[in-house]
């Protein structure tokens, strides 16, 4: 349910583009004389303080979106009916997603991007050699760089010298390829098991033994109870051998990292029922002359008096081990291992998050660098008060200097010499990769340049952008507040009458242990530029605000998240921002569950859209994959809680229209969840529609499906609660119990 996104991979448009399509099965039908492939519509077709007043903190200056048309008389038209150049085609075409960045020994930047125009294929790309030239695709067209380890993947490629090793999506085998020439061919490194039943992630080169050390997930015996180990894959030109197991015995592993001499290996491990943000352990093992791991030492996470989740271990050039953990303070901060006494030392303490939940492999929140004087420094990013910061940390003096860059959101980074490559975004910058050059002392930015953008043409719509306003609102628990990003309607040509309040679409993010961020997201601008207000909620249980806030959801999923979303909607109504009669809610995955639960157990919202959401918690627990198989127990609680919080068991309480979207190859939230809720609501007589996509998994990657999902949500809400006519030409689907 995480997001990846997922990524990450879940707060941006990428919340709709989490997994790659397969074209193995398809059919088509005519819908109002318009053909759609690989899509099935299940319906009958036809033509920390209490806020006393609204307090909004804007993430970027309003002057940044000024336009000459704003000085002219605007056209008065109902909210929701405005014309906008930010079409669903623009949104679906601007949804390239980043799958990791790396720099080779010569300072060339490489990245993996997924392309909706190629059915979501993930491609390894090298930056252009000269300004004005095009970047170069490294992987051949029949290959895709993506791992399905732990379902959400990440850490699918690693570069050393002139070689890249990556996971190929189709067969999940590891391949080696030269990056010196785009015409080089991939060479398989791991055995062919007759299908994609063994996956690899988060690997590193072991130069001492000429091998590749990586996490391996083996699903040959069981697809729902896989075996995870740390293994070594030989890199010689001899015949392919079975990977050699180095570390095993626990349920999960991540971050295998080898010191510069190849004598020690660090890793993170954890076991059921914990998730990697609940409790993990950091271990170091010593590598023998024959390459085995022995004499293991637990560095962090084994003290029964401390609850912590160490993450991101990293060796310095001098052989020092750094890592991040949230012991004592409840915030992920930087630490260093003192090997001689096996103790850990805090480098810098701050009530801020220097890392993120381990939904995907390959997280890289800090880099160990040197300035021109040879002084060791730590380039790091952290989240505090709803935004990201980039800084340089001197661990000797325990001082932190902030770097001034345009990004207000930072995900990952890598480095080369005195240059940082930072993956980030802001209210006016879509997801991007920037090259940040530092001065000789490593303390100031001397140059900032965008190298890659998920949506390079987005700035042409700048005059239409609605800027996120960070809001803090009271929850149902006295003294507890929650957070959200509010986007008011924005269009340089249109305005509504002074008497009208805009409709609101509230989004509940996936995870649920995740975080939405206030960055440029064209799928949000699609709504606001047409006259909708939009709010993206970080309900209790979200990340970015420390362990205490994150654990508000333990045993209370379906309660805290639902209450906070309803409280946010009420807060905006009470402060005159939106129309109380036109409150709608949407969400994907875990956010889809919150959507359904809010509609079943509350009366705040007038309509909803669930994207691959959960309707039956017991069914989810029975059918979900290993990584999250105990996650739900921690979030829900007893068997009675499972029943009482499953919307499917209380269909009689639903009282408003719902549209559902589902991928038929979804292994995280199986399709039966959506079908079950659809049939129940149809029988009850509520307006309802279900759209199923063949070849889609947990999230939608194909451009035409992203477009269709966005447009049908807009039209559904307009028809049911809007009181306006949509300006776009959208072919409707028949809504059961309405048409």
């Amino acid at each position: 349910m995480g997001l990846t996104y997922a990524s990450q991979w879940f707060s941006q448009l990428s919340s709709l583009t989490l997994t790659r399509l397969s074209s193995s099965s398809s059919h088509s039908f005519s819908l109002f004389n318009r053909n759609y492939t690989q899509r099935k519509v299940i319906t009958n077709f036809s033509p920390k303080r209490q806020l006393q007043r609204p307090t909004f903190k804007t993430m970027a200056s309003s002057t940044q979106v000024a336009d000459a048309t704003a000085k002219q008389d605007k056209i008065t038209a109902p909210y929701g009916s405005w014309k906008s150049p930010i079409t669903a085609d623009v949104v679906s075409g601007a949804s390239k997603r980043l799958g990791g960045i790396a720099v080779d020994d010569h300072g060339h930047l490489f990245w993996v991007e997924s392309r909706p125009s190629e059915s979501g294929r993930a491609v390894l790309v090298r930056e252009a050699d000269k300004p004005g030239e095009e970047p170069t695709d490294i992987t051949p067209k029949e290959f895709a760089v993506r791992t399905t380890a732990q379902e959400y993947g990440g850490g699918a490629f690693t570069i050393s010298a002139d070689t890249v090793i990556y996971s190929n999506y189709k067969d999940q085998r590891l391949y080696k390829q030269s990056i010196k020439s785009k015409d080089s061919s991939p060479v398989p490194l791991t055995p062919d098991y007759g299908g994609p039943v063994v996956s690899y992630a988060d690997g590193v080169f072991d130069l001492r033994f000429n091998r590749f050390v990586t996490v391996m997930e083996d699903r040959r015996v069981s697809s729902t109870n896989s075996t995870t180990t740390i293994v070594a894959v030989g890199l010689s030109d001899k015949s392919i051998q079975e990977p050699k197991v180095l570390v095993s015995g626990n349920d999960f592993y991540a971050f295998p990292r080898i010191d510069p001499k190849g004598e020690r290996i660090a890793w993170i491990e954890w076991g059921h029922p914990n998730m990697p943000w609940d409790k993990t352990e950091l271990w170091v093992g010593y590598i023998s002359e024959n390459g085995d791991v022995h004499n293991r030492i637990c560095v962090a996470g084994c003290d029964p008096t401390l609850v912590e989740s160490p993450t991101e271990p990293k060796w310095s050039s001098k052989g020092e081990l750094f890592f991040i953990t949230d012991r004592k303070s409840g915030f992920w901060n930087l630490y260093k291992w003192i090997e001689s006494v096996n103790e850990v030392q805090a480098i810098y303490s701050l009530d801020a998050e220097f890392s993120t939940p381990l939904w995907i492999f390959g997280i890289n929140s800090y880099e160990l660098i040197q300035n021109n004087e040879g002084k060791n420094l730590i380039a790091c990013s952290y989240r505090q008060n709803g935004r990201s910061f980039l800084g340089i940390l001197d661990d000797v003096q325990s001082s932190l200097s902030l770097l001034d860059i345009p990004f207000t959101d930072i995900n990952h980074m890598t480095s080369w010499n005195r240059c940082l490559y930072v993956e980030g975004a802001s209210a006016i910058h879509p997801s991007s990769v920037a090259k940040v050059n530092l001065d000789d002392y490593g303390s100031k930015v001397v140059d900032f340049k965008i190298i890659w953008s998920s949506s390079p043409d987005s700035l042409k719509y700048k005059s239409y952008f609605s800027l996120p306003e960070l809001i803090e609102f009271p929850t149902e628990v006295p003294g507890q507040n929650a957070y959200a990003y509010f986007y008011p309607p924005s269009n340089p040509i249109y305005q509504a009458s002074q008497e009208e309040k805009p409709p609101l679409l509230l989004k509940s993010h996936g995870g649920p242990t995740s975080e939405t961020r206030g960055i440029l997201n064209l799928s949000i601008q699609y709504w606001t530029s047409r006259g909708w207000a939009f709010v993206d909620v970080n309900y209790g249980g979200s990340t970015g605000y420390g362990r205490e806030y994150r654990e508000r959801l333990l045993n209370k999923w379906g309660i805290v998240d639902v209450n906070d979303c309803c409280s946010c909607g009420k807060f905006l109504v009470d402060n005159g921002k939106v129309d109380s009669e036109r409150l709608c809610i949407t969400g994907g995955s875990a956010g889809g569950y919150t959507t359904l639960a809010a509609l079943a157990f509350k009366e705040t919202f007038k309509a909803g859209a669930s994207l691959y959401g959960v309707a039956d918690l017991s069914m989810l627990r029975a059918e979900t994959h290993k990584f999250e198989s105990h996650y739900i127990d921690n979030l829900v609680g007893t068997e009675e809680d499972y029943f009482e919080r499953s919307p499917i068991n209380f269909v009689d309480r639903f009282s408003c229209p719902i549209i559902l979207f589902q991928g038929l190859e979804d292994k995280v939230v199986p399709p039966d969840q959506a079908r079950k809720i659809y049939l129940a609501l149809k029988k009850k007589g509520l307006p309802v529609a279900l759209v199923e996509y063949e070849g889609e998994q947990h999230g939608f990657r194909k451009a035409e499906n992203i477009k269709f999902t966005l447009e049908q949500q807009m039209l559904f809400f307009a028809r049911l609660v809007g009181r306006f006519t949509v300006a776009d030409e959208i072919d409707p689907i028949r809504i059961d119990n309405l048409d």
Side-chain angles (χ1 to χ4, degrees):
M1 296 175 296
L3 129 137
T4 237
Y5 329 215
S7 152
Q8 308 354 347
W9 337 28
F10 270 120
S11 64
Q12 307 171 35
L13 170 67
S14 57
S15 65
L16 299 181
T17 58
L18 296 177
T19 52
R20 181 178 180 273
L21 278 168
S22 168
S23 59
S24 59
S25 175
S26 68
H27 69 279
S28 65
F29 61 84
S30 176
L31 180 62
F32 287 82
N33 298 319
R34 188 172 176 182
N35 290 324
Y36 293 89
T37 59
Q38 297 187 328
R39 181 185 302 119
K40 181 167 60 175
V41 181
I42 307 299
T43 184
N44 298 315
F45 307 114
S46 76
K48 314 196 173 179
R49 55 189 180 281
Q50 190 76 16
L51 295 184
Q52 301 301 323
R53 60 181 63 87
T55 302
F56 299 89
K57 180 181 178 183
T58 305
M59 301 299 287
S61 170
S62 60
T63 60
Q64 292 174 303
V65 293
D67 188 89
T69 55
K71 300 177 182 179
Q72 303 172 2
D73 292 334
K74 290 188 175 184
I75 300 171
T76 299
Y79 285 118
S81 69
W82 302 348
K83 293 182 179 179
S84 169
I86 306 175
T87 64
D89 280 313
V90 169
V91 175
S92 62
S95 57
K96 287 191 299 183
R97 188 164 65 94
L98 206 59
I101 56 177
V103 179
D104 68 8
D105 293 347
H106 308 290
H108 299 126
L109 176 68
F110 292 77
W111 63 85
V112 167
E113 64 180 35
S114 63
R115 300 169 177 170
S117 61
E118 298 182 35
S119 298
R121 186 172 78 96
V123 184
L124 180 66
V125 183
R126 172 182 161 165
E127 69 171 319
D129 291 326
K130 299 177 181 179
E133 294 183 352
E134 292 296 318
T136 302
D137 289 0
I138 299 299
T139 41
K141 291 186 178 299
E142 63 272 19
F143 283 76
V145 182
R146 180 177 161 219
T147 176
T148 59
Q150 290 182 183
E151 293 298 330
Y152 301 114
F157 77 103
T158 306
I159 290 176
S160 179
D162 295 321
T163 300
V164 61
I165 293 177
Y166 58 84
S167 295
N168 181 43
Y169 175 68
K170 185 176 182 179
D171 58 12
Q172 288 297 290
R173 298 173 72 186
L174 286 179
Y175 287 80
K176 177 176 67 172
Q177 184 178 342
S178 171
I179 56 177
K180 289 190 295 185
S181 170
K182 66 177 183 179
D183 297 323
S184 61
S185 299
V187 177
L189 295 174
T190 52
D192 182 356
Y193 297 111
V197 293
V198 177
S199 298
Y200 308 87
D202 212 6
V204 292
F205 285 81
D206 182 357
L207 301 181
R208 179 185 174 192
F209 292 97
N210 190 30
R211 61 187 183 178
F212 190 69
V213 176
T214 180
V215 175
M216 183 177 83
E217 183 182 67
D218 190 342
R219 301 180 296 277
R220 283 177 290 178
V221 175
S222 172
S223 60
T224 57
N225 189 27
S226 57
T227 300
T228 304
T229 54
I230 296 175
V231 302
V233 177
L235 299 181
S236 66
D237 295 329
K238 299 177 182 179
S239 60
I240 296 173
Q241 302 293 324
E242 192 75 22
K244 177 182 179 180
V245 176
L246 300 179
V247 182
S248 63
N250 216 329
D251 291 312
F252 304 100
Y253 294 92
F255 295 109
R257 299 293 183 262
I258 296 174
D259 75 4
K261 295 183 178 180
E263 297 175 348
R264 296 167 295 176
I265 178 174
W267 70 88
I268 298 293
E269 65 177 64
W270 69 99
H272 289 316
N274 294 309
M275 295 299 286
W277 47 84
D278 295 326
K279 191 177 188 304
T280 59
E281 298 170 357
L282 168 60
W283 287 78
V284 169
Y286 294 84
I287 303 175
S288 66
E289 292 298 322
N290 65 357
D292 292 330
V293 177
H294 67 104
N295 192 24
R296 306 175 186 185
I297 297 174
C298 186
V299 173
C302 295
D303 185 343
T305 65
L306 291 175
V307 177
E308 62 177 326
S309 49
T311 185
E312 293 196 58
K314 187 171 297 197
W315 298 96
S316 73
S317 59
K318 296 180 179 180
E320 301 169 299
L321 180 63
F322 294 83
F323 64 99
I324 295 173
T325 191
D326 59 346
R327 60 170 51 193
K328 297 182 180 179
S329 72
F331 288 89
W332 275 309
N333 284 190
L334 279 155
Y335 284 75
K336 180 167 64 175
W337 180 42
I338 310 301
E339 183 176 13
S340 59
V341 291
N342 191 26
E343 293 181 355
V344 301
Q345 173 184 312
I347 296 174
Y348 190 82
S349 297
L350 187 68
D351 285 352
E353 300 281 49
F354 283 76
S355 188
T356 57
L358 206 163
W359 279 108
I360 60 171
F361 291 103
I363 296 171
N364 198 51
S365 305
Y366 70 101
E367 281 284 294
L368 306 176
I369 63 174
Q370 283 188 340
N371 64 13
N372 201 39
E373 299 175 333
K375 187 175 185 179
N376 293 319
L377 301 170
I378 303 174
C380 57
S381 65
Y382 63 88
R383 296 280 297 172
Q384 188 179 53
N385 299 325
R387 64 158 291 170
S388 298
F389 298 87
L390 180 65
I392 299 295
L393 182 59
D394 186 331
D395 69 303
V396 176
Q397 298 183 4
S398 190
S399 62
L400 179 66
S401 302
L402 294 182
L403 299 176
D404 185 15
I405 64 172
F407 290 161
T408 58
D409 180 85
I410 298 171
N411 285 320
H412 308 289
M413 69 174 70
T414 189
S415 64
W416 186 76
N417 285 348
R418 289 186 303 280
C419 170
L420 302 176
Y421 289 93
V422 179
E423 178 187 340
S426 75
I428 60 172
H429 293 95
S431 177
S432 307
V433 178
K435 184 177 183 179
V436 182
N437 286 310
L438 305 179
D439 64 6
D440 290 343
Y441 301 100
S443 60
K444 294 182 179 179
V445 176
V446 296
D447 188 46
F448 177 93
K449 180 182 179 182
I450 301 268
I451 304 296
W452 177 91
S453 173
S454 61
S455 178
D457 296 329
S458 60
L459 284 180
K460 70 171 66 174
Y461 309 110
K462 187 169 65 172
S463 63
Y464 289 82
F465 290 169
S466 174
L467 303 180
E469 302 168 3
L470 178 63
I471 64 173
E472 182 178 359
F473 59 90
T475 69
E476 290 193 2
V477 178
Q480 280 191 1
N481 289 357
Y483 308 92
Y485 297 101
F486 175 70
Y487 300 78
S490 177
N491 190 303
I493 298 175
Y494 291 90
Q495 64 181 5
S497 67
Q498 294 183 350
E499 295 77 22
E500 186 185 7
K501 301 293 183 185
L504 173 73
L505 181 59
L506 181 146
K507 181 183 176 184
S508 172
H509 66 68
T513 310
S514 186
E515 176 188 9
T516 191
R517 302 189 175 195
I519 63 175
L520 179 60
N521 177 351
L522 290 183
S523 67
I524 292 177
Q525 304 300 326
Y526 174 85
W527 295 88
T528 56
S529 63
R530 284 164 174 73
W532 281 74
F534 194 104
V535 66
D536 218 346
V537 182
N538 276 320
Y539 48 77
S542 301
T543 60
Y545 298 91
R547 180 180 282 268
E548 182 179 351
Y549 192 86
R550 192 167 73 238
E551 291 186 344
R552 286 186 188 180
L553 211 57
L554 292 181
N555 295 318
K556 294 183 179 179
W557 190 30
I559 299 176
V560 169
D561 51 320
V562 170
N563 289 343
D564 286 359
C565 286
C566 293
S567 294
C568 183
K570 183 177 184 298
F571 175 80
L572 293 171
V573 169
D574 291 345
N575 286 291
K577 296 292 183 179
V578 298
D579 184 350
S580 63
E581 295 303 312
R582 293 188 289 176
L583 302 184
C584 301
I585 184 171
T586 186
S589 191
Y593 165 70
T594 301
T595 294
L596 293 174
L599 297 175
F601 305 127
K602 297 286 185 175
E603 297 180 351
T604 304
F605 301 99
K606 307 305 179 184
S610 171
L611 285 67
Y612 39 94
V614 179
D616 188 331
L617 292 173
S618 296
M619 182 185 293
L620 177 67
R621 177 177 57 176
E623 297 182 354
T624 198
H625 56 126
K626 179 184 176 182
F627 179 59
E628 296 182 85
S629 59
H630 290 264
Y631 179 39
I632 307 159
D633 290 335
N634 298 335
L635 295 173
V636 180
T638 66
E639 291 299 324
E640 181 181 0
D641 293 327
Y642 270 91
F643 182 86
E644 293 291 333
R645 293 186 213 159
S646 293
I648 191 62
N649 298 325
F650 298 91
V651 177
D652 58 309
R653 298 190 186 180
F654 282 93
S655 59
C656 66
I658 302 174
I659 186 168
L660 306 109
F661 301 88
Q662 179 68 43
L664 291 179
E665 294 185 6
D666 193 337
K667 295 180 181 178
V668 179
V669 180
D672 282 348
Q673 294 264 320
R675 291 171 181 164
K676 195 173 180 182
I677 198 75
Y678 161 74
L679 292 173
L681 295 180
K682 181 181 178 183
K683 183 178 180 180
K684 188 177 188 292
L686 285 175
V688 64
L690 169 62
V691 179
E692 293 184 328
Y693 298 119
E694 291 193 354
E696 293 280 25
Q697 301 176 12
H698 194 60
F700 312 141
R701 277 186 173 266
K702 199 166 187 177
E704 64 196 59
N705 293 340
I706 297 169
K707 173 187 175 182
F708 192 80
T709 300
L710 195 56
E711 288 183 334
Q712 292 304 322
Q713 284 187 82
M714 172 68 74
L715 193 57
F716 184 85
F717 292 144
R719 294 183 64 193
L720 274 303
V721 302
R723 301 201 300 270
F724 59 82
T725 300
V726 175
D728 306 82
E729 293 185 5
I730 303 174
D731 294 332
I733 58 173
R734 179 181 170 92
I735 301 171
D736 286 294
N737 301 318
L738 178 70
D739 296 324

